[in-house]
Amino acid sequence: AQSVSQHNHHVILSEAASLELGCNYSYGGTVNLFWYVQYPGQHLQLLLKYFSGDPLVKGIKGFEAEFIKSKFSFNLRKPSVQWSDTAEYFCAVKSADSWGKLQFGAGTQVVVTP
Amino acid sequence: DAGVTQSPTHLIKTRGQQVTLRCSPKSGHDTVSWYQQALGQGPQFIFQYYEEEERQRGNFPDRFSGHQFPNYSSELNVNALLLGDSALYLCASSLAGSGNTIYFGEGSWLTVV
């Protein structure tokens, strides 16, 4: 069965610390990969996406993610977090020939303390 | 602002009732998808509409139905509400095709009592 697994449900860290959120997927065929962020009281926003090409993808707000096909992983990183990065982060996967059926992980709640 | 508009933002219904949620996609988008996000979980795909027809469907019962109008707006209907239907319902819009970014609305919070 297709699935998306996020390694941590809650992460607490201090400002300026580095962040890495794990995401593994189980999916047959070619996939497109996404990280979405949901700030408190706001809608889901796309942080970055991978369709093809360079497996290291840079997104908005200083985030980046690396696609490792052999490990079925798409981990999200940020070298130095800010208090404003407090949010819930979702990894999502879709089949490359699908239009809009995203499969999401359960999410990781990230709290950045001043 | 993502441009995807949903209404109502919050509502409370009683078990057994029916509910209709509405979505206006981002300007220029022609494809609308609906997701259910239960507390503490990631969004789950319900179905997708394009050209006023259901194009894909997730693992949801027939109590969940939808509609897309000629102006691309969409409705999600849920009949015979159960307590377990309490969730945030998200509308997502995109342009038709597999390579386009999907934008989400802020959602409609449904509480079933």
Side-chain angles (χ1 to χ4, degrees):
Chain A
Q2 299 163 344
S3 65
V4 180
S5 175
Q6 292 186 235
H7 303 169
N8 307 95
H9 291 295
H10 292 92
V11 172
I12 301 174
L13 61 167
S14 301
E15 277 190 313
S18 64
L19 173 70
E20 180 160 1
L21 302 182
C23 173
N24 285 90
Y25 64 93
S26 170
Y27 228 93
T30 305
V31 296
N32 301 143
L33 298 153
F34 307 82
W35 276 97
Y36 281 86
V37 62
Q38 191 168 34
Y39 298 103
Q42 296 188 26
H43 55 78
L44 278 168
Q45 299 175 38
L46 181 67
L47 270 180
L48 46 78
K49 61 184 179 183
Y50 174 80
F51 278 60
S52 64
D54 187 346
L56 185 61
V57 180
K58 294 195 183 299
I60 62 171
K61 306 189 181 188
F63 285 90
E64 64 178 29
E66 185 176 13
F67 170 50
I68 304 180
K69 187 175 181 180
S70 61
K71 295 185 178 180
F72 298 92
S73 70
F74 190 55
N75 292 352
L76 180 71
R77 297 192 290 253
K78 185 169 184 178
S80 176
V81 295
Q82 300 172 322
W83 176 79
S84 58
D85 293 322
T86 294
E88 189 152 21
Y89 293 79
F90 293 94
C91 179
V93 177
K94 76 172 182 71
S95 172
D97 58 6
S98 166
W99 286 10
K101 184 180 178 181
L102 293 169
Q103 181 138 7
F104 284 85
T108 299
Q109 181 66 50
V110 173
V111 176
V112 180
T113 60
Chain B
D1 185 0
V4 182
T5 306
Q6 292 187 241
S7 63
T9 53
H10 296 82
L11 70 167
I12 300 173
K13 291 286 189 177
T14 304
R15 253 184 322 177
Q17 285 189 317
Q18 179 263 346
V19 68
T20 298
L21 307 178
R22 295 175 177 82
C23 172
S24 293
K26 186 177 173 67
S27 179
H29 286 185
D30 55 9
T31 303
V32 173
S33 301
W34 287 92
Y35 290 78
Q36 180 196 67
Q37 186 177 10
L39 210 57
Q41 298 182 22
Q44 300 289 319
F45 177 81
I46 303 175
F47 42 53
Q48 181 185 72
Y49 277 83
Y50 170 68
E51 291 189 337
E52 303 180 49
E53 292 192 0
E54 184 181 291
R55 191 173 179 276
Q56 291 188 95
R57 189 177 182 92
N59 189 25
F60 279 80
D62 292 344
R63 298 186 297 109
F64 288 77
S65 63
H67 190 78
Q68 186 180 33
F69 299 94
N71 67 352
Y72 307 120
S73 67
S74 177
E75 288 183 350
L76 164 65
N77 300 293
V78 187
N79 295 322
L81 285 166
L82 304 173
L83 296 179
D85 295 331
S86 296
L88 177 67
Y89 288 85
L90 296 168
C91 175
S93 80
S94 61
L95 275 172
S98 59
N100 296 304
T101 300
I102 300 162
Y103 295 85
F104 285 83
E106 295 194 10
S108 294
W109 278 103
L110 170 65
T111 302
V112 182
V113 298

